[in-house]
């Protein structure tokens, strides 16, 4: 998996594509169009502390989250 996308769908390479795939209620941090194929960082914010679901270029330490 290289980016935020639904199974079988092409990888989203921009914040707009992520919102189009998952809906506007999803919090998306827009760092610009992805040029890399490295996995994106996915964070669960539904609990009392952020939790990394998938590690990517932004680390847990960068976010102050629990891995």
């Amino acid at each position: 998996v290289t980016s935020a996308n639904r199974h079988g769908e092409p990888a989203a390479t921009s914040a707009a594509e992520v919102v189009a795939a998952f809906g506007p209620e999803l919090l998306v941090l827009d760092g610009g169009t992805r040029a890399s194929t490295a996995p994106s960082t996915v964070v669960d914010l539904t609990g009392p502390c952020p939790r990394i679901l998938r590690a990517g270029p932004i680390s847990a330490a960068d976010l102050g989250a629990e891995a």
Side-chain angles (χ1 to χ4, degrees):
V1 178
T2 57
S3 188
N5 60 302
R6 295 194 184 273
H7 180 71
E9 295 293 321
T13 59
S14 70
E17 289 177 1
V18 173
V19 171
F22 293 98
E25 61 280 345
L26 181 68
L27 174 65
V28 178
L29 302 178
D30 188 352
T33 301
R34 290 176 46 91
S36 169
T37 58
S40 56
T41 303
V42 178
V43 183
D44 177 359
L45 298 173
T46 61
C49 295
R51 186 170 60 99
I52 302 292
L53 299 178
R54 183 175 68 207
I58 301 172
S59 70
D62 292 335
L63 297 170
E66 296 178 17

